[in-house]
Amino acid sequence: MNNMSRRMDFLNGLINNLKEQNLYGELPVLSTDQKNRVVLNGREVLMMCSNNYLGFANHPRLRAAAKQAIDKWGLGTGAVRQIAGTMEIHNQLEEMLAEYKHTEASLVFVAGIAANRGTIQAIMGEEDVIISDELNHGSIIDGVRLTKSARKIYPHLDTDGLENALRETKDARRRLIVTDGVFSMDGDIAPLDRIVELAEEYDAMVMVDDAHGDGVLGKDGRGIVDHFGLEGRVDIDMGTLSKAFGCLGGYIAGRKELREYLINTARSFIFTTAHPPAVAAAAMEAIKMIRDEPRHLRQLWDNTRYFKKGMTELGFDIGHSSTPITPVMAGGSRSAVELSKGLFEEGLFAKPIVFPLVARDKARVRINLSAQHTRDDLNEALRIFEKAGKSMKLV
Ligand SMILES: *Cc1c(COP(=O)(O)O)cnc(C)c1O
């Protein structure tokens, strides 16, 4: 054995640990574009767990916009935004996002995770306190960890717990309440109206991560702030271009000073190359499409209601989601893994989600509806669930 393989040997031990803890997985591979029916790991299946809510990821209008941008601007940007990578098209996208979200300004990052990390790190210092829902997304947790701020974690959705945290931290220089808008595991929605009231009462800032609300909630898919009618009252509205918008990237929307400050301080913005212009062009097309083809958003919600009703009638426990995210409860980890396998054998792909991502007895298969699912797709999905559920005695 050579020296390098000996030095790297510890990885085998670590991988075995992961396997023992159910934390190990391989990457499922698509041989087609992302859509309702795909070929995955060599098998034709119904895709039921992408975040492609509106079916934009492979849409002809977005493809055309991206191709045109490649013809005009080329492929890469060759530099970070601050040095030489900003093209007119990046600024146009940011203006469009700000207009769409009804904020003064916006700033696009290469990914949602970069937006959360960079923003939280840039604005929160040692004298400050971050107050965070216990089930916030990993990218928020990363952002919090990158600061020297004190942390207060409140129980999931618990605004009394939040108020306690606000009472206990009155001496802090600045306070930031941060929450997912739609929680990705359960599909439940943060009580943002109450959170904003408390923030105003206790003079704290609010940051909401709208990754699963963008393009899904509110008028024209404007997201959770529009859903609750809170325009102008949320300091930092973070979203992604990667999910309903079918592209890639994260952004923050808010005051123009926020943009100005982040351009100069957010490390995940400064130290990374600007988006390919084709991504910016496709994202702009997505925002246009949400507005001039409202049928996609309608279809998404029709599908969501239809599928959930069918699953409830079959007797499945589908939790308390109020969004297209639909957890199908399976009990323990092993049971969720078995359900997912059973579904795949019958031609439906949805990943199991197990401890420690969720509580031990709350393992599930998580379904995500899309506007692209046809009635036939959904009926077939219900049939497959019925068969797998009965053979496992879940229903
Ligand atoms: C997906 C997701 C992100 C990360 O967005 P990317 O653009 O995929 O990096 C951030 N927050 C939440 C809640 C998410 O679900």
Side-chain angles (χ1 to χ4, degrees):
M1 197 188 282
N2 70 29
N3 280 340
M4 187 175 77
S5 34
R6 209 161 14 78
R7 284 199 305 274
M8 300 306 281
D9 232 21
F10 72 97
L11 289 173
N12 290 317
L14 294 180
I15 288 168
N16 284 335
N17 289 346
L18 290 177
K19 286 181 176 164
E20 276 160 24
Q21 297 170 67
N22 278 320
L23 291 172
Y24 178 88
E26 308 219 338
L27 300 175
V29 179
L30 292 169
S31 317
T32 59
D33 49 344
Q34 182 64 269
K35 57 190 173 190
N36 55 337
R37 285 171 189 268
V38 299
V39 176
L40 185 133
N41 290 350
R43 210 191 146 113
E44 196 187 319
V45 287
L46 277 168
M47 171 55 76
M48 298 291 286
C49 60
S50 83
N51 299 313
N52 184 22
Y53 289 114
L54 298 171
F56 285 5
N58 72 340
H59 196 280
R61 272 183 66 175
L62 271 75
R63 289 181 193 240
K67 283 177 188 161
Q68 249 181 21
I70 289 174
D71 287 342
K72 174 159 186 196
W73 299 97
L75 269 169
T77 52
V80 304
R81 288 282 300 274
Q82 268 199 332
I83 293 180
T86 300
M87 294 169 166
E88 285 166 4
I89 196 167
H90 295 113
N91 286 340
Q92 283 162 10
L93 169 60
E94 285 164 352
E95 281 161 23
M96 196 167 170
L97 275 168
E99 195 251 326
Y100 176 65
K101 300 292 274 191
H102 292 177
T103 54
E104 278 181 11
S106 88
L107 184 68
V108 172
F109 292 69
V110 289
I113 187 172
N116 276 336
R117 284 182 172 173
T119 304
I120 297 172
Q121 182 185 35
I123 63 171
M124 298 305 284
E126 212 166 339
E127 303 91 332
D128 305 326
V129 180
I130 302 171
I131 307 174
S132 175
D133 185 291
E134 68 179 339
L135 294 189
N136 276 344
H137 190 257
S139 57
I140 294 178
I141 296 170
D142 276 12
V144 174
R145 286 181 180 157
L146 289 169
T147 70
K148 291 185 176 158
S149 308
R151 295 115 211 236
K152 287 271 179 193
I153 313 297
Y154 61 92
H156 184 47
L157 307 182
D158 179 0
T159 50
D160 292 335
L162 168 60
E163 184 162 18
N164 286 339
L166 286 164
R167 278 205 199 97
E168 288 165 10
T169 55
K170 279 200 166 125
D171 297 330
R173 182 183 65 174
R174 278 198 290 275
R175 290 178 291 174
L176 175 71
I177 304 167
V178 58
T179 181
D180 279 22
V182 174
F183 287 84
S184 50
M185 295 300 152
D186 291 288
D188 48 357
I189 298 183
L192 197 62
D193 44 354
R194 181 65 186 142
I195 290 174
V196 166
E197 267 174 28
L198 286 170
E200 287 170 351
E201 188 180 334
Y202 288 88
D203 199 26
M205 298 179 284
V206 176
M207 173 169 178
V208 67
D209 174 338
D210 215 7
H212 291 276
D214 263 339
V216 173
L217 295 176
K219 183 175 174 343
D220 293 333
R222 280 213 179 85
I224 191 166
V225 172
D226 184 90
H227 173 82
F228 282 111
L230 295 169
E231 250 161 50
R233 294 170 67 191
V234 170
D235 304 276
I236 304 173
D237 190 350
M238 175 272 172
T240 70
L241 306 170
S242 345
K243 290 176 176 151
F245 295 137
C247 301
L248 178 69
Y251 69 90
I252 57 93
R255 295 280 301 265
K256 68 177 181 350
E257 293 86 350
L258 180 63
R259 178 178 192 276
E260 254 173 66
Y261 183 69
L262 291 177
I263 284 177
N264 293 289
T265 53
R267 296 172 65 83
S268 63
F269 177 84
I270 295 173
F271 295 111
T272 194
T273 299
H275 260 155
V279 171
M284 285 199 281
E285 192 65 17
I287 297 165
K288 276 189 210 139
M289 251 181 85
I290 287 181
R291 290 160 153 188
D292 50 57
E293 297 186 14
R295 65 191 158 88
H296 303 287
L297 186 53
R298 258 199 319 269
Q299 192 66 53
L300 171 66
W301 283 98
D302 273 358
N303 287 353
T304 299
R305 280 186 290 267
Y306 185 81
F307 182 76
K308 287 187 177 183
K309 182 161 173 282
M311 289 295 281
T312 306
E313 281 167 6
L314 287 173
F316 281 98
D317 173 2
I318 56 168
H320 306 287
S321 163
S322 33
T323 63
I325 296 172
T326 308
V328 182
M329 298 303 178
S333 296
R334 200 168 302 164
S335 170
V337 171
E338 193 189 326
L339 177 59
S340 171
K341 276 199 184 124
L343 296 168
F344 190 75
E345 277 158 23
E346 296 293 326
L348 185 158
F349 182 63
K351 285 272 270 191
I353 299 196
V354 303
F355 181 82
L357 273 180
V358 291
R360 266 179 212 286
D361 58 342
K362 291 261 159 67
R364 79 253 339 237
V365 165
R366 185 185 54 176
I367 296 298
N368 249 357
L369 281 311
S370 163
Q372 271 186 335
H373 292 128
T374 64
R375 226 5 85 90
D376 281 351
D377 292 340
L378 298 179
N379 287 335
E380 188 177 332
L382 290 169
R383 261 197 314 276
I384 292 172
F385 262 108
E386 183 177 18
K387 186 169 176 197
K390 278 188 173 152
S391 88
M392 285 179 61
K393 301 202 164 40
L394 289 173
V395 293

